[in-house]
Amino acid sequence: MEQGSTRGRTTGRPAPAAYGDPGAAGPARVPEQTARGEHTHAEPPGPGLAEPRTVRRHSVRGQILQALRTALVGGELVPGEVYSAPALGERFGVSATPVREAMQQLATEGAVEVVPNRGFRVTERTPRELAELAEVRALIEVPVMLRLARTVPAERWAGLRPLAEATGAAAARGDRAHYAETDRAFHRAVLALAGNEQLLLVADDLHRRSQWPLVSGPATRHADLVADAAEHSALLDALIAQDLPVVSSLVREHFTGAQA
């Protein structure tokens, strides 16, 4: 991940590609009807429904949150820099309110920190933090996967093959943001077979935190991303074969490799 030379100063300049389609001239604006909806009071709520503006506002916030997460994973929001909600809101074509709410959510996830009267600074991650996250993920997920390898029939594992292939396709394109999404989807699908909702919540939170970029160091090479994706298919092969040592080794190596 390339680092900017203006760390620590306020800016509202997320790279366009983080929010719009590849090659777009600017960040994708939230649809005008949706953006204006958060200020709408004219439509009466239906029976048993919340006021429409509340629903629309949550929708806008969700869209902004997803866009910001994509920018973080792609390194477009630079560690150490401060971004103001009004400036980002102007880029999105919405008020500062949904941007601020989305940033508050990212703050609870450890991706940004609040800077009073200025905005939000992207957290500067260290290799030690990512190593600790990898260790905790292994402590949680390896025992679960070993148990599942003994009990889940082969056809259930085979049904996850399209998810593994999706990670490979994203890696082949060099699309790190989409790879991050498909990687989480694959791991959620595997762990979902354990039938433990709390496990899914904890594991997904740790997984997402491990995807925030480092403050320094080179971006993940394309070849490394492809190799990381290939481990998903290899893991399915080991799970189908009930090869427990290989399952354990692959999961631990996968978590360690994800730090690059």
Side-chain angles (χ1 to χ4, degrees):
M1 176 184 67
E2 295 181 358
Q3 302 298 320
S5 58
T6 56
R7 290 171 48 194
R9 65 183 180 83
T10 303
T11 177
R13 300 181 288 104
Y19 311 118
D21 295 331
R29 296 170 68 87
V30 172
E32 184 177 5
Q33 180 179 3
T34 304
R36 291 179 178 176
E38 67 177 280
H39 303 293
T40 299
H41 298 272
E43 301 178 38
L49 297 178
E51 190 176 350
R53 69 181 182 87
T54 303
V55 176
R56 293 187 185 118
R57 175 164 152 183
H58 288 172
S59 176
V60 174
R61 180 181 61 184
Q63 293 177 54
I64 299 300
L65 178 60
Q66 181 58 41
L68 291 172
R69 282 173 170 165
T70 298
L72 279 164
V73 172
E76 307 300 341
L77 292 179
V78 182
E81 286 204 31
V82 177
Y83 297 86
S84 71
L88 288 174
E90 184 177 354
R91 296 278 184 175
F92 284 118
V94 299
S95 72
T97 300
V99 176
R100 189 173 291 111
E101 291 173 346
M103 281 293 201
Q104 290 287 356
Q105 175 60 36
L106 291 175
T108 67
E109 297 175 4
V112 301
E113 57 187 6
V114 178
V115 181
N117 302 318
R118 293 183 63 194
F120 301 84
R121 178 181 290 113
V122 179
T123 303
E124 299 181 85
R125 309 298 300 280
T126 65
R128 180 188 177 95
E129 288 179 84
L130 294 186
E132 290 174 349
L133 283 168
E135 180 180 4
V136 175
R137 289 186 66 198
L139 288 172
I140 293 175
E141 295 192 36
V142 169
V144 174
M145 290 193 190
L146 292 178
R147 175 166 57 85
L148 292 174
R150 300 186 187 97
T151 59
V152 174
E155 58 269 20
R156 296 290 298 276
W157 295 123
L160 302 185
R161 192 73 67 179
L163 293 175
E165 293 171 349
T167 66
R173 296 193 306 270
D175 188 342
R176 288 173 173 79
H178 190 228
Y179 175 79
E181 293 177 5
T182 56
D183 184 37
R184 288 200 312 276
F186 174 82
H187 282 269
R188 280 197 303 270
V190 170
L191 295 176
L193 296 176
N196 187 325
E197 290 295 329
Q198 298 307 312
L199 167 67
L200 289 179
L201 290 173
V202 172
D204 195 57
D205 178 64
L206 290 169
H207 195 165
R208 190 184 296 280
R209 288 171 183 266
S210 72
Q211 292 176 330
W212 304 141
L214 288 167
V215 63
S216 62
T220 305
R221 296 182 307 169
H222 182 247
D224 292 336
L225 201 65
V226 172
D228 195 56
E231 291 174 353
H232 294 128
S233 292
L235 176 60
L236 286 180
D237 291 339
L239 289 167
I240 290 172
Q242 296 186 325
D243 192 333
L244 303 188
V246 172
V247 168
S248 178
S249 176
L250 279 172
V251 175
R252 295 178 189 281
E253 290 175 5
H254 185 66
F255 291 165
T256 302
Q259 301 174 49

